[in-house]
Amino acid sequence: MAAVETERATPGAPVATLLPGRGYGPQAPLLYYARLLLRGRGWAVRTVDWDKVPGLDPADQVAVAAFAGEVLATADPARDLVVGKSLGSLALPAAAARGVPGIWLTPLLGIEDVRRAAARAAASTLLIGGTADPYWDGAAAAATGAVVFEVPGADHSLERPGDLNGTLEVLSAVLSRIDAHLTAMATRA
């Protein structure tokens, strides 16, 4: 498996780049079902595996952001999309610079470059976080001007610990919000 894999899709299909978290890979529920949703809507899905990037230390934020920027260098802002989870949100400055729309799950808004990029890309950005996530700052998210979906009681995995039904409700709500965002993007295109 390569560090970046693209699932087969119809030639010319828009590409969604999935940038997982450090401990929240593409097989984890949010990204797994987001990938199914995207594929069902005709997107090609390109997924980064941080562990397979030669010489990359996921703790090195500058290196992660640089690699993500390289991956997004081929993204077409008019039709492509990035979906980043936590560590993947270090790509927000690169996405904003290229004009690539993004859906950011539990973005690291405590990092100034990430927060400023979210504000620059507000018109094409969806920020999703939970109130029980120590890395989420709802006020900072709202201040960016981006569309924000805040989940009461959800942690950094967008789960409600100890509450399976509540966690499944969160997963469903987040996927519905992503689906609505994709619909809105399609109508703007």
Side-chain angles (χ1 to χ4, degrees):
M1 177 187 223
V4 181
E5 282 194 0
T6 303
E7 296 178 26
R8 277 191 252 166
T10 307
V15 176
T17 301
L18 257 63
L19 300 171
R22 184 172 187 176
Y24 199 96
Q27 77 290 352
L30 288 169
L31 296 177
Y32 176 81
Y33 289 110
R35 186 173 70 235
L36 290 181
L37 174 64
L38 288 159
R39 284 185 7 217
R41 292 182 71 126
W43 292 74
V45 180
R46 178 171 60 170
T47 304
V48 170
D49 184 337
W50 300 118
D51 293 332
K52 298 204 184 296
V53 179
L56 181 74
D57 175 3
D60 183 345
Q61 294 179 356
V62 172
V64 169
F67 182 78
E70 289 173 24
V71 171
L72 294 178
T74 60
D76 180 348
R79 66 183 186 118
D80 294 342
L81 168 75
V82 61
V83 178
K85 167 74 174 90
S86 189
L87 179 71
S89 70
L90 294 175
L92 225 160
R98 289 200 39 75
V100 179
I103 297 170
W104 306 95
L105 306 166
T106 67
L108 301 176
L109 296 174
I111 298 171
E112 187 175 342
D113 287 347
V114 172
R115 188 176 56 256
R116 284 193 317 223
R120 282 194 316 274
S124 63
T125 296
L126 170 61
L127 304 173
I128 301 175
T131 61
D133 177 359
Y135 300 105
W136 176 254
D137 182 337
T144 66
V147 175
V148 176
F149 184 63
E150 187 172 74
V151 184
D155 65 11
H156 194 60
S157 294
L158 288 173
E159 296 178 354
R160 291 193 176 126
D163 181 359
L164 176 60
N165 288 332
T167 294
L168 293 174
E169 288 170 4
V170 169
L171 177 62
S172 179
V174 168
L175 291 169
S176 292
R177 188 62 194 91
I178 290 172
D179 192 43
H181 190 73
L182 294 172
T183 297
M185 283 178 55
T187 59
R188 286 191 298 256

